[in-house]
Amino acid sequence: MSARALFLALADRLDQQPNRPADVFAVRGWARSAGFTSEWLGLLPPPDGATHSEYATRLRTLAS
């Protein structure tokens, strides 16, 4: 699976969550369930206080 597909899958997952600040541990857990391996987790930007929808937007930007 490509990084683009993984970013988009994770962004879709984040869109399903309540819009509150993204927790780095929850995001990493969802990333693992979306297919990210430990090598791919290093590609994820830190949430830095972004809400779930803001973080999903960042991931879609990275995917494009």
Side-chain angles (χ1 to χ4, degrees), residues 5-31:
L6 289 169
F7 286 145
L8 293 175
L10 182 55
D12 289 343
R13 171 71 182 198
L14 287 165
D15 281 338
Q16 296 172 10
Q17 302 305 310
N19 198 27
R20 59 178 185 246
D23 175 84
V24 69
F25 298 108
V27 169
R28 287 179 176 263
W30 295 326

Side-chain angles (χ1 to χ4, degrees), residues 12-62:
D12 289 343
R13 171 71 182 198
L14 287 165
D15 281 338
Q16 296 172 10
Q17 302 305 310
N19 198 27
R20 59 178 185 246
D23 175 84
V24 69
F25 298 108
V27 169
R28 287 179 176 263
W30 295 326
R32 283 188 190 100
S33 69
F36 278 80
T37 62
S38 58
E39 299 153 355
W40 290 86
L41 288 175
L43 297 175
L44 290 174
D48 292 333
T51 63
H52 288 146
S53 63
E54 291 168 341
Y55 195 65
T57 301
R58 285 187 203 171
L59 293 175
R60 285 191 179 90
T61 302
L62 284 173

